[in-house]
mmCIF file of all heavy atoms in Angstrom:
data_model
loop_
_atom_site.group_PDB
_atom_site.id
_atom_site.type_symbol
_atom_site.label_atom_id
_atom_site.label_comp_id
_atom_site.label_asym_id
_atom_site.label_seq_id
_atom_site.Cartn_x
_atom_site.Cartn_y
_atom_site.Cartn_z
ATOM 1 N N ASP Y 18 121.345 100.593 -117.621
ATOM 2 C CA ASP Y 18 121.107 99.249 -117.090
ATOM 3 C C ASP Y 18 122.356 98.394 -117.229
ATOM 4 O O ASP Y 18 122.705 97.623 -116.331
ATOM 5 C CB ASP Y 18 119.928 98.607 -117.831
ATOM 6 C CG ASP Y 18 119.565 97.254 -117.259
ATOM 7 O OD1 ASP Y 18 119.250 97.185 -116.062
ATOM 8 O OD2 ASP Y 18 119.605 96.269 -118.011
ATOM 9 N N SER Y 19 123.051 98.526 -118.353
ATOM 10 C CA SER Y 19 124.276 97.757 -118.576
ATOM 11 C C SER Y 19 125.366 98.152 -117.582
ATOM 12 O O SER Y 19 126.074 97.289 -117.041
ATOM 13 C CB SER Y 19 124.763 97.979 -120.007
ATOM 14 O OG SER Y 19 125.955 97.265 -120.246
ATOM 15 N N ILE Y 20 125.512 99.453 -117.313
ATOM 16 C CA ILE Y 20 126.507 99.923 -116.346
ATOM 17 C C ILE Y 20 126.214 99.374 -114.961
ATOM 18 O O ILE Y 20 127.103 98.850 -114.269
ATOM 19 C CB ILE Y 20 126.534 101.468 -116.316
ATOM 20 C CG1 ILE Y 20 127.081 102.008 -117.639
ATOM 21 C CG2 ILE Y 20 127.383 101.974 -115.147
ATOM 22 C CD1 ILE Y 20 126.892 103.506 -117.800
ATOM 23 N N LEU Y 21 124.955 99.481 -114.538
ATOM 24 C CA LEU Y 21 124.583 98.995 -113.211
ATOM 25 C C LEU Y 21 124.738 97.476 -113.117
ATOM 26 O O LEU Y 21 125.128 96.942 -112.072
ATOM 27 C CB LEU Y 21 123.149 99.416 -112.881
ATOM 28 C CG LEU Y 21 122.927 100.927 -112.739
ATOM 29 C CD1 LEU Y 21 121.454 101.234 -112.512
ATOM 30 C CD2 LEU Y 21 123.763 101.489 -111.600
ATOM 31 N N GLY Y 22 124.448 96.786 -114.223
ATOM 32 C CA GLY Y 22 124.647 95.337 -114.240
ATOM 33 C C GLY Y 22 126.108 94.968 -114.101
ATOM 34 O O GLY Y 22 126.464 94.001 -113.410
ATOM 35 N N THR Y 23 126.986 95.738 -114.739
ATOM 36 C CA THR Y 23 128.423 95.488 -114.644
ATOM 37 C C THR Y 23 128.925 95.723 -113.226
ATOM 38 O O THR Y 23 129.753 94.954 -112.709
ATOM 39 C CB THR Y 23 129.191 96.403 -115.626
ATOM 40 O OG1 THR Y 23 128.736 96.141 -116.952
ATOM 41 C CG2 THR Y 23 130.683 96.146 -115.545
ATOM 42 N N VAL Y 24 128.418 96.773 -112.574
ATOM 43 C CA VAL Y 24 128.795 97.047 -111.185
ATOM 44 C C VAL Y 24 128.395 95.883 -110.286
ATOM 45 O O VAL Y 24 129.174 95.420 -109.441
ATOM 46 C CB VAL Y 24 128.146 98.364 -110.694
ATOM 47 C CG1 VAL Y 24 128.343 98.539 -109.194
ATOM 48 C CG2 VAL Y 24 128.725 99.544 -111.445
ATOM 49 N N THR Y 25 127.166 95.376 -110.482
ATOM 50 C CA THR Y 25 126.698 94.235 -109.694
ATOM 51 C C THR Y 25 127.559 93.007 -109.954
ATOM 52 O O THR Y 25 127.914 92.272 -109.028
ATOM 53 C CB THR Y 25 125.222 93.923 -110.027
ATOM 54 O OG1 THR Y 25 124.418 95.053 -109.713
ATOM 55 C CG2 THR Y 25 124.724 92.720 -109.234
ATOM 56 N N ALA Y 26 127.897 92.780 -111.220
ATOM 57 C CA ALA Y 26 128.724 91.628 -111.572
ATOM 58 C C ALA Y 26 130.094 91.710 -110.914
ATOM 59 O O ALA Y 26 130.639 90.701 -110.452
ATOM 60 C CB ALA Y 26 128.871 91.542 -113.093
ATOM 61 N N MET Y 27 130.678 92.895 -110.861
ATOM 62 C CA MET Y 27 131.984 93.083 -110.219
ATOM 63 C C MET Y 27 131.899 92.772 -108.727
ATOM 64 O O MET Y 27 132.790 92.128 -108.165
ATOM 65 C CB MET Y 27 132.474 94.511 -110.439
ATOM 66 C CG MET Y 27 132.835 94.825 -111.888
ATOM 67 S SD MET Y 27 133.160 96.590 -112.170
ATOM 68 C CE MET Y 27 134.647 96.806 -111.179
ATOM 69 N N LYS Y 28 130.803 93.192 -108.100
ATOM 70 C CA LYS Y 28 130.628 92.923 -106.669
ATOM 71 C C LYS Y 28 130.444 91.434 -106.396
ATOM 72 O O LYS Y 28 130.783 90.937 -105.316
ATOM 73 C CB LYS Y 28 129.427 93.696 -106.138
ATOM 74 C CG LYS Y 28 129.634 95.203 -106.073
ATOM 75 C CD LYS Y 28 128.387 95.911 -105.543
ATOM 76 C CE LYS Y 28 128.604 97.409 -105.449
ATOM 77 N NZ LYS Y 28 127.383 98.108 -104.960
ATOM 78 N N ASN Y 29 129.877 90.713 -107.392
ATOM 79 C CA ASN Y 29 129.597 89.286 -107.207
ATOM 80 C C ASN Y 29 130.696 88.381 -107.756
ATOM 81 O O ASN Y 29 130.561 87.154 -107.725
ATOM 82 C CB ASN Y 29 128.272 88.919 -107.891
ATOM 83 C CG ASN Y 29 127.070 89.405 -107.095
ATOM 84 O OD1 ASN Y 29 127.096 89.396 -105.873
ATOM 85 N ND2 ASN Y 29 126.036 89.854 -107.792
ATOM 86 N N TYR Y 30 131.768 88.968 -108.265
ATOM 87 C CA TYR Y 30 132.824 88.165 -108.903
ATOM 88 C C TYR Y 30 133.377 87.121 -107.929
ATOM 89 O O TYR Y 30 133.789 87.418 -106.816
ATOM 90 C CB TYR Y 30 133.963 89.057 -109.384
ATOM 91 C CG TYR Y 30 135.079 88.274 -110.044
ATOM 92 C CD1 TYR Y 30 134.943 87.804 -111.341
ATOM 93 C CD2 TYR Y 30 136.248 87.993 -109.349
ATOM 94 C CE1 TYR Y 30 135.948 87.072 -111.944
ATOM 95 C CE2 TYR Y 30 137.259 87.264 -109.939
ATOM 96 C CZ TYR Y 30 137.106 86.806 -111.235
ATOM 97 O OH TYR Y 30 138.100 86.069 -111.824
ATOM 98 N N GLY Y 31 133.361 85.875 -108.386
ATOM 99 C CA GLY Y 31 133.941 84.787 -107.613
ATOM 100 C C GLY Y 31 133.093 84.285 -106.459
ATOM 101 O O GLY Y 31 133.496 83.367 -105.748
ATOM 102 N N LYS Y 32 131.903 84.849 -106.278
ATOM 103 C CA LYS Y 32 131.059 84.446 -105.149
ATOM 104 C C LYS Y 32 130.221 83.213 -105.503
ATOM 105 O O LYS Y 32 129.801 83.043 -106.647
ATOM 106 C CB LYS Y 32 130.112 85.575 -104.748
ATOM 107 C CG LYS Y 32 130.803 86.778 -104.114
ATOM 108 C CD LYS Y 32 129.775 87.826 -103.709
ATOM 109 C CE LYS Y 32 130.438 89.025 -103.059
ATOM 110 N NZ LYS Y 32 129.439 90.058 -102.676
ATOM 111 N N ALA Y 33 129.969 82.393 -104.512
ATOM 112 C CA ALA Y 33 129.042 81.271 -104.682
ATOM 113 C C ALA Y 33 127.621 81.810 -104.715
ATOM 114 O O ALA Y 33 127.356 82.962 -104.341
ATOM 115 C CB ALA Y 33 129.208 80.283 -103.530
ATOM 116 N N ALA Y 34 126.675 80.966 -105.173
ATOM 117 C CA ALA Y 34 125.282 81.412 -105.326
ATOM 118 C C ALA Y 34 124.712 81.977 -104.037
ATOM 119 O O ALA Y 34 124.015 82.993 -104.051
ATOM 120 C CB ALA Y 34 124.421 80.251 -105.821
ATOM 121 N N ASP Y 35 125.026 81.347 -102.899
ATOM 122 C CA ASP Y 35 124.429 81.798 -101.643
ATOM 123 C C ASP Y 35 125.037 83.099 -101.124
ATOM 124 O O ASP Y 35 124.583 83.650 -100.129
ATOM 125 C CB ASP Y 35 124.516 80.705 -100.574
ATOM 126 C CG ASP Y 35 125.951 80.277 -100.282
ATOM 127 O OD1 ASP Y 35 126.878 80.813 -100.924
ATOM 128 O OD2 ASP Y 35 126.141 79.403 -99.423
ATOM 129 N N ALA Y 36 126.080 83.596 -101.811
ATOM 130 C CA ALA Y 36 126.707 84.858 -101.402
ATOM 131 C C ALA Y 36 126.419 85.987 -102.393
ATOM 132 O O ALA Y 36 126.903 87.100 -102.215
ATOM 133 C CB ALA Y 36 128.217 84.673 -101.257
ATOM 134 N N LEU Y 37 125.650 85.715 -103.440
ATOM 135 C CA LEU Y 37 125.355 86.727 -104.446
ATOM 136 C C LEU Y 37 124.516 87.856 -103.850
ATOM 137 O O LEU Y 37 123.648 87.624 -102.999
ATOM 138 C CB LEU Y 37 124.606 86.112 -105.629
ATOM 139 C CG LEU Y 37 125.357 85.067 -106.458
ATOM 140 C CD1 LEU Y 37 124.445 84.502 -107.539
ATOM 141 C CD2 LEU Y 37 126.611 85.672 -107.077
ATOM 142 N N THR Y 38 124.768 89.077 -104.317
ATOM 143 C CA THR Y 38 123.973 90.233 -103.901
ATOM 144 C C THR Y 38 123.523 90.995 -105.141
ATOM 145 O O THR Y 38 124.022 90.781 -106.242
ATOM 146 C CB THR Y 38 124.803 91.176 -103.009
ATOM 147 O OG1 THR Y 38 125.956 91.616 -103.751
ATOM 148 C CG2 THR Y 38 125.242 90.479 -101.731
ATOM 149 N N GLY Y 39 122.577 91.901 -104.937
ATOM 150 C CA GLY Y 39 122.093 92.714 -106.049
ATOM 151 C C GLY Y 39 120.599 92.569 -106.220
ATOM 152 O O GLY Y 39 119.901 91.999 -105.370
ATOM 153 N N GLU Y 40 120.104 93.084 -107.334
ATOM 154 C CA GLU Y 40 118.670 93.073 -107.627
ATOM 155 C C GLU Y 40 118.441 92.463 -109.000
ATOM 156 O O GLU Y 40 119.179 92.727 -109.945
ATOM 157 C CB GLU Y 40 118.105 94.493 -107.604
ATOM 158 C CG GLU Y 40 116.597 94.552 -107.878
ATOM 159 C CD GLU Y 40 116.078 95.989 -107.933
ATOM 160 O OE1 GLU Y 40 116.881 96.888 -108.236
ATOM 161 O OE2 GLU Y 40 114.880 96.180 -107.693
ATOM 162 N N LEU Y 41 117.438 91.626 -109.097
ATOM 163 C CA LEU Y 41 117.037 91.043 -110.374
ATOM 164 C C LEU Y 41 115.587 91.436 -110.624
ATOM 165 O O LEU Y 41 114.704 91.144 -109.814
ATOM 166 C CB LEU Y 41 117.182 89.526 -110.336
ATOM 167 C CG LEU Y 41 116.988 88.793 -111.661
ATOM 168 C CD1 LEU Y 41 118.035 89.221 -112.676
ATOM 169 C CD2 LEU Y 41 117.058 87.283 -111.459
ATOM 170 N N ARG Y 42 115.342 92.104 -111.759
ATOM 171 C CA ARG Y 42 114.010 92.631 -112.067
ATOM 172 C C ARG Y 42 113.363 91.785 -113.160
ATOM 173 O O ARG Y 42 113.916 91.636 -114.246
ATOM 174 C CB ARG Y 42 114.129 94.086 -112.518
ATOM 175 C CG ARG Y 42 114.773 94.995 -111.474
ATOM 176 C CD ARG Y 42 115.265 96.283 -112.100
ATOM 177 N NE ARG Y 42 116.215 96.002 -113.164
ATOM 178 C CZ ARG Y 42 116.400 96.792 -114.224
ATOM 179 N NH1 ARG Y 42 115.690 97.892 -114.369
ATOM 180 N NH2 ARG Y 42 117.286 96.480 -115.149
ATOM 181 N N ILE Y 43 112.192 91.231 -112.842
ATOM 182 C CA ILE Y 43 111.540 90.286 -113.741
ATOM 183 C C ILE Y 43 110.099 90.717 -113.970
ATOM 184 O O ILE Y 43 109.377 91.048 -113.027
ATOM 185 C CB ILE Y 43 111.553 88.864 -113.143
ATOM 186 C CG1 ILE Y 43 112.972 88.473 -112.740
ATOM 187 C CG2 ILE Y 43 110.982 87.849 -114.130
ATOM 188 C CD1 ILE Y 43 113.037 87.223 -111.887
ATOM 189 N N ALA Y 44 109.670 90.709 -115.230
ATOM 190 C CA ALA Y 44 108.272 90.998 -115.575
ATOM 191 C C ALA Y 44 107.584 89.686 -115.942
ATOM 192 O O ALA Y 44 108.105 88.905 -116.751
ATOM 193 C CB ALA Y 44 108.202 91.978 -116.737
ATOM 194 N N ILE Y 45 106.417 89.439 -115.353
ATOM 195 C CA ILE Y 45 105.702 88.174 -115.511
ATOM 196 C C ILE Y 45 104.201 88.446 -115.551
ATOM 197 O O ILE Y 45 103.707 89.286 -114.788
ATOM 198 C CB ILE Y 45 105.979 87.212 -114.328
ATOM 199 C CG1 ILE Y 45 107.453 87.216 -113.934
ATOM 200 C CG2 ILE Y 45 105.533 85.793 -114.654
ATOM 201 C CD1 ILE Y 45 107.754 86.382 -112.693
ATOM 202 N N PRO Y 46 103.438 87.758 -116.397
ATOM 203 C CA PRO Y 46 101.974 87.911 -116.355
ATOM 204 C C PRO Y 46 101.388 87.218 -115.128
ATOM 205 O O PRO Y 46 102.017 86.317 -114.541
ATOM 206 C CB PRO Y 46 101.512 87.242 -117.652
ATOM 207 C CG PRO Y 46 102.576 86.246 -117.962
ATOM 208 C CD PRO Y 46 103.856 86.859 -117.490
ATOM 209 N N ASP Y 47 100.190 87.620 -114.777
ATOM 210 C CA ASP Y 47 99.515 87.142 -113.570
ATOM 211 C C ASP Y 47 99.444 85.621 -113.495
ATOM 212 O O ASP Y 47 99.784 85.014 -112.473
ATOM 213 C CB ASP Y 47 98.106 87.744 -113.525
ATOM 214 C CG ASP Y 47 97.344 87.384 -112.254
ATOM 215 O OD1 ASP Y 47 97.948 86.822 -111.328
ATOM 216 O OD2 ASP Y 47 96.130 87.677 -112.191
ATOM 217 N N THR Y 48 99.012 84.974 -114.572
ATOM 218 C CA THR Y 48 98.792 83.524 -114.502
ATOM 219 C C THR Y 48 100.082 82.756 -114.231
ATOM 220 O O THR Y 48 100.108 81.828 -113.415
ATOM 221 C CB THR Y 48 98.153 83.008 -115.803
ATOM 222 O OG1 THR Y 48 98.901 83.504 -116.925
ATOM 223 C CG2 THR Y 48 96.704 83.457 -115.917
ATOM 224 N N LEU Y 49 101.170 83.136 -114.894
ATOM 225 C CA LEU Y 49 102.448 82.451 -114.665
ATOM 226 C C LEU Y 49 102.996 82.757 -113.269
ATOM 227 O O LEU Y 49 103.482 81.864 -112.576
ATOM 228 C CB LEU Y 49 103.471 82.848 -115.723
ATOM 229 C CG LEU Y 49 103.309 82.202 -117.099
ATOM 230 C CD1 LEU Y 49 104.311 82.788 -118.085
ATOM 231 C CD2 LEU Y 49 103.485 80.681 -117.028
ATOM 232 N N LEU Y 50 102.905 84.020 -112.867
ATOM 233 C CA LEU Y 50 103.420 84.395 -111.553
ATOM 234 C C LEU Y 50 102.672 83.674 -110.435
ATOM 235 O O LEU Y 50 103.279 83.157 -109.495
ATOM 236 C CB LEU Y 50 103.305 85.912 -111.365
ATOM 237 C CG LEU Y 50 103.740 86.460 -110.002
ATOM 238 C CD1 LEU Y 50 105.174 86.098 -109.692
ATOM 239 C CD2 LEU Y 50 103.540 87.967 -109.948
ATOM 240 N N THR Y 51 101.369 83.614 -110.557
ATOM 241 C CA THR Y 51 100.545 83.054 -109.482
ATOM 242 C C THR Y 51 100.555 81.532 -109.453
ATOM 243 O O THR Y 51 100.620 80.926 -108.376
ATOM 244 C CB THR Y 51 99.092 83.555 -109.612
ATOM 245 O OG1 THR Y 51 99.090 84.982 -109.625
ATOM 246 C CG2 THR Y 51 98.231 83.060 -108.454
ATOM 247 N N TYR Y 52 100.523 80.900 -110.631
ATOM 248 C CA TYR Y 52 100.278 79.458 -110.669
ATOM 249 C C TYR Y 52 101.458 78.603 -111.134
ATOM 250 O O TYR Y 52 101.377 77.376 -111.054
ATOM 251 C CB TYR Y 52 99.069 79.172 -111.573
ATOM 252 C CG TYR Y 52 97.824 79.884 -111.125
ATOM 253 C CD1 TYR Y 52 97.400 81.050 -111.753
ATOM 254 C CD2 TYR Y 52 97.085 79.411 -110.052
ATOM 255 C CE1 TYR Y 52 96.271 81.720 -111.330
ATOM 256 C CE2 TYR Y 52 95.949 80.063 -109.625
ATOM 257 C CZ TYR Y 52 95.544 81.236 -110.262
ATOM 258 O OH TYR Y 52 94.424 81.898 -109.824
#
């Protein structure tokens, strides 16, 4: 995960927020996700 994160960070170096690429994986319980 750390290696893949570093690769993503290198691809996003110097980019503004609207130009960022990659995947962000988030775990959330039903109530928070829905409401």
Side-chain angles (χ1 to χ4, degrees):
D18 184 58
S19 179
I20 292 169
L21 295 176
T23 301
V24 171
T25 299
M27 292 171 66
K28 290 180 179 179
N29 285 324
Y30 180 77
K32 291 182 179 179
D35 59 359
L37 296 177
T38 59
E40 181 184 25
L41 188 62
R42 301 162 302 151
I43 308 168
I45 318 175
D47 184 9
T48 50
L49 283 175
L50 177 58
T51 304
Y52 302 101

